[in-house]
Amino acid sequence: MNDLCELTVREAHQLLQQREISSVELTESTLQRIAQTEDKLHACLTVTHDLALEQAADADACLNEGQGKTLTGVPVLVKDLISTAGIRTTCGSTMLENFVPIYDATVIEKLKAQKAVIIGKTNMDEFAMGSSTEHSAFFPTHNPWDLNRVPGGSSGGSAAAVATNQAIYALGSDTGGSIRQPAGFCSVVGLKPTYGRVSRFGLVAFASSLDQIGPLTKDVADSALVMNIIAGHDPKDSTSARQPVPDYTKHLSRDLKGLRIGIPQEYFVEGMQGEVREALETAIHRLQEIGAAIDRRASLPSTKYALAVYYILAPSEASANLARYDGVKYGFSAVNASSAIDATEKTRQLGFGAEVKRRIMLGTYALSAGYYDAYYLKAQKVRTLIREEFDQAFRELDALVTPTSPTLPFTLGEKLEDPLQMYLSDVCTLPINIAGVPAISVPAGFADGLPVGMQIIGKPFDEETILRIAFAYQQATDWHKRKPPLLSG
Ligand code: GLN
């Protein structure tokens, strides 16, 4: 048999349930894979080796009694801004380098209720600000398809880990593309749910009106399986929706007949790499062959303002959310300060990295009395326009298809000194957070050995349709089965 860590959630669940494998064996296999690959990949910030094996033994006991659920005994890696009681949660920042939360995020509670096995926490851009994982205060993660390139970000650790079978699946968070863009760069499946679909309780806040937690998985069926567990209303998150949670696996294998998919031209942006465009055209053709009706008249003209809107709203919210890190309540605290103000200043000066400081400055500027109307308020108005355009498009269409990112994975350091170039990496993904709708990235080809992702965007709370399209596409292709060279070398 292949290494157990190569199993999908669905396969692992079946074998565990039938007691053909144990959770301890499966967990050991993932831990071993982490040990074999981490010196090259650097995807993890914390590996909870002993705790994981304890949880696995506990899961085995539960499975022996025939009490196993979907995720029982299945090892997961969690992005390091999702609060885990008793396990360090750094947010990729010096500010929280030694922070050990006393409570679990709701998604973690849900995983624990299933007796999932948490094997560690993954690397990320500091406070989820970035598109390459190079803004981690600790070290950059490398792309398993080419170690000189970035895995995308900010959930780059989770994406690289899933691509190399360090875990059976992972959780990430997405504020402007942070699940989908790294999923595209690492050739895994990444889903950003509708805003309000998954509880944000215990997700360390970056931009509260945009943040969502979602799964990074090896295939589309696993994405649906994990969504079944993590979605749903949470009284602890007032923005979580009361809508009932469907069984996301139910309609996966329905064919695409009768589905209308729009291709919004605005997403085939200037500056898009030719290889990405070609791969997408081939993928769209494939969707048509398997029964979808493709509509190329779809138009979302305000897309061109999305980047500007995002970089006013996200930093504004971030500047307020990050005000809590003052060295008093928790986290890093600067020593040798001469006064309370000096202590706060030194703490924030030393605890935050350059990108986080840039966002705080942008945000406080946009929110300041003299500029509020011109920037923040204006951006909110354009946000409404962008959302209305999506509503409009979805009156006639069931889904929209775009590239996940305009470029192939770029080299480490390439965009580090040029924030605008880095920001442009999310030009196709951030309008989706602005509108609050769901979107999934699926592997859709390779160019020069590097992955290309296809983004499928859906109506609010219609994750089912985008999963169905993604599943049909996956059945018709085998991009998701390719393995990164790191695993053969
Ligand atoms: N790359 C975008 C940013 O830096 C999006 C990040 C995210 O989705 N968390 O803000």
PDB file of all heavy atoms in Angstrom, residues 79 127-131 153-154 173-180 206 211 310-311 314 355 359 422-423 426 430 433, ligand 1:
ATOM      1  N   LYS A  79      -4.417  26.388  10.055  1.00  0.00           N
ATOM      2  CA  LYS A  79      -3.711  27.665   9.879  1.00  0.00           C
ATOM      3  C   LYS A  79      -3.546  28.338  11.236  1.00  0.00           C
ATOM      4  O   LYS A  79      -4.481  28.344  12.055  1.00  0.00           O
ATOM      5  CB  LYS A  79      -4.510  28.557   8.931  1.00  0.00           C
ATOM      6  CG  LYS A  79      -3.796  29.850   8.530  1.00  0.00           C
ATOM      7  CD  LYS A  79      -4.656  30.647   7.554  1.00  0.00           C
ATOM      8  CE  LYS A  79      -3.970  31.923   7.085  1.00  0.00           C
ATOM      9  NZ  LYS A  79      -4.818  32.699   6.152  1.00  0.00           N
ATOM     10  N   PHE A 127      -0.644  37.841  10.350  1.00  0.00           N
ATOM     11  CA  PHE A 127      -2.049  38.244  10.471  1.00  0.00           C
ATOM     12  C   PHE A 127      -2.812  38.113   9.141  1.00  0.00           C
ATOM     13  O   PHE A 127      -3.746  38.858   8.871  1.00  0.00           O
ATOM     14  CB  PHE A 127      -2.187  39.666  11.044  1.00  0.00           C
ATOM     15  CG  PHE A 127      -1.881  39.709  12.516  1.00  0.00           C
ATOM     16  CD1 PHE A 127      -0.663  40.204  12.972  1.00  0.00           C
ATOM     17  CD2 PHE A 127      -2.786  39.220  13.454  1.00  0.00           C
ATOM     18  CE1 PHE A 127      -0.360  40.210  14.337  1.00  0.00           C
ATOM     19  CE2 PHE A 127      -2.485  39.218  14.815  1.00  0.00           C
ATOM     20  CZ  PHE A 127      -1.274  39.715  15.259  1.00  0.00           C
ATOM     21  N   ALA A 128      -2.360  37.180   8.313  1.00  0.00           N
ATOM     22  CA  ALA A 128      -3.028  36.861   7.033  1.00  0.00           C
ATOM     23  C   ALA A 128      -2.890  37.966   5.991  1.00  0.00           C
ATOM     24  O   ALA A 128      -3.661  38.041   5.037  1.00  0.00           O
ATOM     25  CB  ALA A 128      -4.497  36.486   7.233  1.00  0.00           C
ATOM     26  N   MET A 129      -1.891  38.838   6.169  1.00  0.00           N
ATOM     27  CA  MET A 129      -1.695  39.936   5.220  1.00  0.00           C
ATOM     28  C   MET A 129      -0.575  39.581   4.248  1.00  0.00           C
ATOM     29  O   MET A 129       0.603  39.711   4.577  1.00  0.00           O
ATOM     30  CB  MET A 129      -1.356  41.221   5.987  1.00  0.00           C
ATOM     31  CG  MET A 129      -2.487  41.650   6.896  1.00  0.00           C
ATOM     32  SD  MET A 129      -1.991  43.003   7.958  1.00  0.00           S
ATOM     33  CE  MET A 129      -3.407  43.067   9.056  1.00  0.00           C
ATOM     34  N   GLY A 130      -0.962  39.118   3.075  1.00  0.00           N
ATOM     35  CA  GLY A 130       0.036  38.785   2.074  1.00  0.00           C
ATOM     36  C   GLY A 130      -0.457  37.714   1.143  1.00  0.00           C
ATOM     37  O   GLY A 130      -1.531  37.142   1.333  1.00  0.00           O
ATOM     38  N   SER A 131       0.345  37.448   0.112  1.00  0.00           N
ATOM     39  CA  SER A 131      -0.055  36.501  -0.926  1.00  0.00           C
ATOM     40  C   SER A 131       1.059  35.510  -1.228  1.00  0.00           C
ATOM     41  O   SER A 131       1.077  34.905  -2.290  1.00  0.00           O
ATOM     42  CB  SER A 131      -0.375  37.257  -2.216  1.00  0.00           C
ATOM     43  OG  SER A 131      -1.285  38.290  -1.947  1.00  0.00           O
ATOM     44  N   GLY A 153      -0.341  32.754  -0.668  1.00  0.00           N
ATOM     45  CA  GLY A 153      -0.608  33.121   0.716  1.00  0.00           C
ATOM     46  C   GLY A 153      -1.970  33.747   0.856  1.00  0.00           C
ATOM     47  O   GLY A 153      -2.654  33.974  -0.136  1.00  0.00           O
ATOM     48  N   SER A 154      -2.426  34.001   2.044  1.00  0.00           N
ATOM     49  CA  SER A 154      -1.631  33.835   3.245  1.00  0.00           C
ATOM     50  C   SER A 154      -1.669  32.426   3.816  1.00  0.00           C
ATOM     51  O   SER A 154      -0.854  32.092   4.664  1.00  0.00           O
ATOM     52  CB  SER A 154      -2.094  34.824   4.304  1.00  0.00           C
ATOM     53  OG  SER A 154      -3.444  34.565   4.662  1.00  0.00           O
ATOM     54  N   SER A 173      -7.832  30.408   6.065  1.00  0.00           N
ATOM     55  CA  SER A 173      -8.794  31.515   6.131  1.00  0.00           C
ATOM     56  C   SER A 173      -8.583  32.381   4.908  1.00  0.00           C
ATOM     57  O   SER A 173      -7.485  32.407   4.339  1.00  0.00           O
ATOM     58  CB  SER A 173      -8.601  32.330   7.405  1.00  0.00           C
ATOM     59  OG  SER A 173      -7.423  33.097   7.297  1.00  0.00           O
ATOM     60  N   ASP A 174      -9.647  33.063   4.504  1.00  0.00           N
ATOM     61  CA  ASP A 174      -9.627  33.800   3.242  1.00  0.00           C
ATOM     62  C   ASP A 174     -10.313  35.147   3.443  1.00  0.00           C
ATOM     63  O   ASP A 174     -11.496  35.208   3.760  1.00  0.00           O
ATOM     64  CB  ASP A 174     -10.361  32.943   2.196  1.00  0.00           C
ATOM     65  CG  ASP A 174     -10.205  33.450   0.776  1.00  0.00           C
ATOM     66  OD1 ASP A 174     -10.383  34.669   0.572  1.00  0.00           O
ATOM     67  OD2 ASP A 174      -9.928  32.636  -0.124  1.00  0.00           O
ATOM     68  N   THR A 175      -9.548  36.219   3.277  1.00  0.00           N
ATOM     69  CA  THR A 175     -10.057  37.583   3.428  1.00  0.00           C
ATOM     70  C   THR A 175     -10.136  38.265   2.073  1.00  0.00           C
ATOM     71  O   THR A 175     -10.998  39.106   1.826  1.00  0.00           O
ATOM     72  CB  THR A 175      -9.128  38.375   4.378  1.00  0.00           C
ATOM     73  OG1 THR A 175      -9.023  37.652   5.600  1.00  0.00           O
ATOM     74  CG2 THR A 175      -9.647  39.775   4.656  1.00  0.00           C
ATOM     75  N   GLY A 176      -9.195  37.855   1.189  1.00  0.00           N
ATOM     76  CA  GLY A 176      -9.174  38.428  -0.159  1.00  0.00           C
ATOM     77  C   GLY A 176      -8.664  37.413  -1.173  1.00  0.00           C
ATOM     78  O   GLY A 176      -8.395  37.753  -2.324  1.00  0.00           O
ATOM     79  N   GLY A 177      -8.484  36.179  -0.719  1.00  0.00           N
ATOM     80  CA  GLY A 177      -7.977  35.152  -1.634  1.00  0.00           C
ATOM     81  C   GLY A 177      -7.091  34.125  -0.954  1.00  0.00           C
ATOM     82  O   GLY A 177      -6.577  33.207  -1.590  1.00  0.00           O
ATOM     83  N   SER A 178      -6.921  34.268   0.334  1.00  0.00           N
ATOM     84  CA  SER A 178      -5.891  33.506   1.055  1.00  0.00           C
ATOM     85  C   SER A 178      -6.090  32.006   1.147  1.00  0.00           C
ATOM     86  O   SER A 178      -5.173  31.303   1.558  1.00  0.00           O
ATOM     87  CB  SER A 178      -5.710  34.061   2.461  1.00  0.00           C
ATOM     88  OG  SER A 178      -4.888  35.187   2.403  1.00  0.00           O
ATOM     89  N   ILE A 179      -7.264  31.492   0.788  1.00  0.00           N
ATOM     90  CA  ILE A 179      -7.400  30.038   0.652  1.00  0.00           C
ATOM     91  C   ILE A 179      -7.223  29.672  -0.816  1.00  0.00           C
ATOM     92  O   ILE A 179      -6.484  28.759  -1.170  1.00  0.00           O
ATOM     93  CB  ILE A 179      -8.793  29.563   1.137  1.00  0.00           C
ATOM     94  CG1 ILE A 179      -8.900  29.692   2.663  1.00  0.00           C
ATOM     95  CG2 ILE A 179      -9.050  28.126   0.685  1.00  0.00           C
ATOM     96  CD1 ILE A 179     -10.275  29.360   3.227  1.00  0.00           C
ATOM     97  N   ARG A 180      -7.906  30.436  -1.695  1.00  0.00           N
ATOM     98  CA  ARG A 180      -7.959  30.053  -3.106  1.00  0.00           C
ATOM     99  C   ARG A 180      -6.641  30.253  -3.844  1.00  0.00           C
ATOM    100  O   ARG A 180      -6.221  29.402  -4.625  1.00  0.00           O
ATOM    101  CB  ARG A 180      -9.086  30.855  -3.799  1.00  0.00           C
ATOM    102  CG  ARG A 180     -10.478  30.470  -3.308  1.00  0.00           C
ATOM    103  CD  ARG A 180     -11.473  31.563  -3.570  1.00  0.00           C
ATOM    104  NE  ARG A 180     -11.276  32.703  -2.669  1.00  0.00           N
ATOM    105  CZ  ARG A 180     -11.663  33.938  -2.902  1.00  0.00           C
ATOM    106  NH1 ARG A 180     -12.260  34.225  -4.040  1.00  0.00           N
ATOM    107  NH2 ARG A 180     -11.449  34.896  -2.013  1.00  0.00           N
ATOM    108  N   PHE A 206      -8.737  39.739  11.049  1.00  0.00           N
ATOM    109  CA  PHE A 206      -7.958  40.622  10.162  1.00  0.00           C
ATOM    110  C   PHE A 206      -8.946  41.694   9.683  1.00  0.00           C
ATOM    111  O   PHE A 206      -8.909  42.830  10.160  1.00  0.00           O
ATOM    112  CB  PHE A 206      -7.345  39.773   9.041  1.00  0.00           C
ATOM    113  CG  PHE A 206      -6.852  40.511   7.815  1.00  0.00           C
ATOM    114  CD1 PHE A 206      -6.701  41.893   7.788  1.00  0.00           C
ATOM    115  CD2 PHE A 206      -6.501  39.788   6.671  1.00  0.00           C
ATOM    116  CE1 PHE A 206      -6.234  42.537   6.637  1.00  0.00           C
ATOM    117  CE2 PHE A 206      -6.036  40.433   5.532  1.00  0.00           C
ATOM    118  CZ  PHE A 206      -5.918  41.800   5.513  1.00  0.00           C
ATOM    119  N   ASP A 211     -13.408  38.199   6.330  1.00  0.00           N
ATOM    120  CA  ASP A 211     -12.771  36.929   6.733  1.00  0.00           C
ATOM    121  C   ASP A 211     -13.741  35.750   6.695  1.00  0.00           C
ATOM    122  O   ASP A 211     -14.870  35.867   7.167  1.00  0.00           O
ATOM    123  CB  ASP A 211     -12.259  37.006   8.190  1.00  0.00           C
ATOM    124  CG  ASP A 211     -11.238  38.110   8.460  1.00  0.00           C
ATOM    125  OD1 ASP A 211     -10.602  38.583   7.517  1.00  0.00           O
ATOM    126  OD2 ASP A 211     -11.064  38.473   9.655  1.00  0.00           O
ATOM    127  N   TYR A 310     -10.801  47.096  -1.767  1.00  0.00           N
ATOM    128  CA  TYR A 310     -10.274  46.153  -0.766  1.00  0.00           C
ATOM    129  C   TYR A 310      -9.157  46.799   0.047  1.00  0.00           C
ATOM    130  O   TYR A 310      -9.117  46.657   1.278  1.00  0.00           O
ATOM    131  CB  TYR A 310      -9.754  44.902  -1.480  1.00  0.00           C
ATOM    132  CG  TYR A 310      -9.136  43.887  -0.542  1.00  0.00           C
ATOM    133  CD1 TYR A 310      -9.913  42.904   0.065  1.00  0.00           C
ATOM    134  CD2 TYR A 310      -7.763  43.911  -0.255  1.00  0.00           C
ATOM    135  CE1 TYR A 310      -9.349  41.980   0.932  1.00  0.00           C
ATOM    136  CE2 TYR A 310      -7.196  42.994   0.609  1.00  0.00           C
ATOM    137  CZ  TYR A 310      -7.988  42.035   1.194  1.00  0.00           C
ATOM    138  OH  TYR A 310      -7.435  41.119   2.058  1.00  0.00           O
ATOM    139  N   TYR A 311      -8.261  47.509  -0.622  1.00  0.00           N
ATOM    140  CA  TYR A 311      -7.119  48.073   0.099  1.00  0.00           C
ATOM    141  C   TYR A 311      -7.441  49.366   0.853  1.00  0.00           C
ATOM    142  O   TYR A 311      -6.560  49.999   1.412  1.00  0.00           O
ATOM    143  CB  TYR A 311      -5.876  48.168  -0.799  1.00  0.00           C
ATOM    144  CG  TYR A 311      -5.227  46.799  -0.844  1.00  0.00           C
ATOM    145  CD1 TYR A 311      -5.422  45.930  -1.908  1.00  0.00           C
ATOM    146  CD2 TYR A 311      -4.510  46.332   0.258  1.00  0.00           C
ATOM    147  CE1 TYR A 311      -4.893  44.644  -1.900  1.00  0.00           C
ATOM    148  CE2 TYR A 311      -3.980  45.054   0.281  1.00  0.00           C
ATOM    149  CZ  TYR A 311      -4.174  44.218  -0.787  1.00  0.00           C
ATOM    150  OH  TYR A 311      -3.655  42.948  -0.754  1.00  0.00           O
ATOM    151  N   ALA A 314     -10.081  46.641   3.884  1.00  0.00           N
ATOM    152  CA  ALA A 314      -9.372  45.638   4.695  1.00  0.00           C
ATOM    153  C   ALA A 314      -8.394  46.299   5.675  1.00  0.00           C
ATOM    154  O   ALA A 314      -8.427  45.983   6.868  1.00  0.00           O
ATOM    155  CB  ALA A 314      -8.688  44.604   3.804  1.00  0.00           C
ATOM    156  N   GLU A 355       4.707  44.730   6.750  1.00  0.00           N
ATOM    157  CA  GLU A 355       3.446  44.726   6.001  1.00  0.00           C
ATOM    158  C   GLU A 355       2.275  45.063   6.926  1.00  0.00           C
ATOM    159  O   GLU A 355       1.377  45.818   6.542  1.00  0.00           O
ATOM    160  CB  GLU A 355       3.223  43.366   5.319  1.00  0.00           C
ATOM    161  CG  GLU A 355       1.967  43.282   4.463  1.00  0.00           C
ATOM    162  CD  GLU A 355       1.945  44.292   3.312  1.00  0.00           C
ATOM    163  OE1 GLU A 355       3.024  44.694   2.818  1.00  0.00           O
ATOM    164  OE2 GLU A 355       0.827  44.703   2.916  1.00  0.00           O
ATOM    165  N   ARG A 359      -0.343  48.268   6.655  1.00  0.00           N
ATOM    166  CA  ARG A 359      -1.812  48.186   6.661  1.00  0.00           C
ATOM    167  C   ARG A 359      -2.402  49.076   7.752  1.00  0.00           C
ATOM    168  O   ARG A 359      -3.440  49.711   7.544  1.00  0.00           O
ATOM    169  CB  ARG A 359      -2.273  46.741   6.890  1.00  0.00           C
ATOM    170  CG  ARG A 359      -1.731  45.724   5.918  1.00  0.00           C
ATOM    171  CD  ARG A 359      -2.390  45.806   4.573  1.00  0.00           C
ATOM    172  NE  ARG A 359      -1.762  44.858   3.657  1.00  0.00           N
ATOM    173  CZ  ARG A 359      -2.339  43.755   3.212  1.00  0.00           C
ATOM    174  NH1 ARG A 359      -3.550  43.450   3.576  1.00  0.00           N
ATOM    175  NH2 ARG A 359      -1.693  42.962   2.377  1.00  0.00           N
ATOM    176  N   MET A 422       2.476  42.606  -5.263  1.00  0.00           N
ATOM    177  CA  MET A 422       1.993  41.536  -4.385  1.00  0.00           C
ATOM    178  C   MET A 422       0.467  41.612  -4.296  1.00  0.00           C
ATOM    179  O   MET A 422      -0.218  40.594  -4.402  1.00  0.00           O
ATOM    180  CB  MET A 422       2.631  41.694  -2.999  1.00  0.00           C
ATOM    181  CG  MET A 422       2.391  40.533  -2.063  1.00  0.00           C
ATOM    182  SD  MET A 422       3.322  39.050  -2.517  1.00  0.00           S
ATOM    183  CE  MET A 422       4.839  39.290  -1.581  1.00  0.00           C
ATOM    184  N   TYR A 423      -0.066  42.817  -4.125  1.00  0.00           N
ATOM    185  CA  TYR A 423      -1.516  42.991  -3.990  1.00  0.00           C
ATOM    186  C   TYR A 423      -2.247  42.512  -5.254  1.00  0.00           C
ATOM    187  O   TYR A 423      -3.336  41.954  -5.182  1.00  0.00           O
ATOM    188  CB  TYR A 423      -1.891  44.458  -3.726  1.00  0.00           C
ATOM    189  CG  TYR A 423      -1.356  45.040  -2.420  1.00  0.00           C
ATOM    190  CD1 TYR A 423      -1.465  46.399  -2.144  1.00  0.00           C
ATOM    191  CD2 TYR A 423      -0.751  44.231  -1.467  1.00  0.00           C
ATOM    192  CE1 TYR A 423      -0.985  46.944  -0.955  1.00  0.00           C
ATOM    193  CE2 TYR A 423      -0.262  44.768  -0.282  1.00  0.00           C
ATOM    194  CZ  TYR A 423      -0.377  46.126  -0.028  1.00  0.00           C
ATOM    195  OH  TYR A 423       0.101  46.655   1.135  1.00  0.00           O
ATOM    196  N   ASP A 426      -3.999  39.013  -6.005  1.00  0.00           N
ATOM    197  CA  ASP A 426      -5.357  38.654  -5.574  1.00  0.00           C
ATOM    198  C   ASP A 426      -6.436  39.356  -6.377  1.00  0.00           C
ATOM    199  O   ASP A 426      -7.593  39.395  -5.960  1.00  0.00           O
ATOM    200  CB  ASP A 426      -5.538  39.005  -4.096  1.00  0.00           C
ATOM    201  CG  ASP A 426      -4.673  38.144  -3.226  1.00  0.00           C
ATOM    202  OD1 ASP A 426      -4.828  36.925  -3.301  1.00  0.00           O
ATOM    203  OD2 ASP A 426      -3.830  38.690  -2.500  1.00  0.00           O
ATOM    204  N   LEU A 430     -10.222  38.823  -4.710  1.00  0.00           N
ATOM    205  CA  LEU A 430     -10.777  39.688  -3.665  1.00  0.00           C
ATOM    206  C   LEU A 430     -12.159  40.286  -3.952  1.00  0.00           C
ATOM    207  O   LEU A 430     -12.906  40.556  -2.990  1.00  0.00           O
ATOM    208  CB  LEU A 430      -9.762  40.733  -3.158  1.00  0.00           C
ATOM    209  CG  LEU A 430      -8.846  41.484  -4.100  1.00  0.00           C
ATOM    210  CD1 LEU A 430      -9.542  42.706  -4.596  1.00  0.00           C
ATOM    211  CD2 LEU A 430      -7.581  41.856  -3.350  1.00  0.00           C
ATOM    212  N   ASN A 433     -14.720  38.262  -1.956  1.00  0.00           N
ATOM    213  CA  ASN A 433     -14.891  38.584  -0.526  1.00  0.00           C
ATOM    214  C   ASN A 433     -15.682  39.873  -0.368  1.00  0.00           C
ATOM    215  O   ASN A 433     -16.482  40.011   0.564  1.00  0.00           O
ATOM    216  CB  ASN A 433     -13.533  38.727   0.162  1.00  0.00           C
ATOM    217  CG  ASN A 433     -12.705  37.462   0.058  1.00  0.00           C
ATOM    218  OD1 ASN A 433     -12.274  37.092  -1.024  1.00  0.00           O
ATOM    219  ND2 ASN A 433     -12.500  36.791   1.175  1.00  0.00           N
TER     220      ASN A 433
HETATM  221  N1  GLN B   1      -3.456  38.888  -0.104  1.00  0.00           N
HETATM  222  C1  GLN B   1      -4.564  39.641   0.436  1.00  0.00           C
HETATM  223  C2  GLN B   1      -4.051  40.557   1.507  1.00  0.00           C
HETATM  224  O1  GLN B   1      -2.893  40.624   1.673  1.00  0.00           O
HETATM  225  C3  GLN B   1      -5.594  38.697   0.983  1.00  0.00           C
HETATM  226  C4  GLN B   1      -5.181  38.048   2.229  1.00  0.00           C
HETATM  227  C5  GLN B   1      -6.213  37.137   2.804  1.00  0.00           C
HETATM  228  O2  GLN B   1      -7.118  36.670   2.124  1.00  0.00           O
HETATM  229  N2  GLN B   1      -6.111  36.919   4.099  1.00  0.00           N
HETATM  230  O3  GLN B   1      -4.767  41.218   2.172  1.00  0.00           O
END
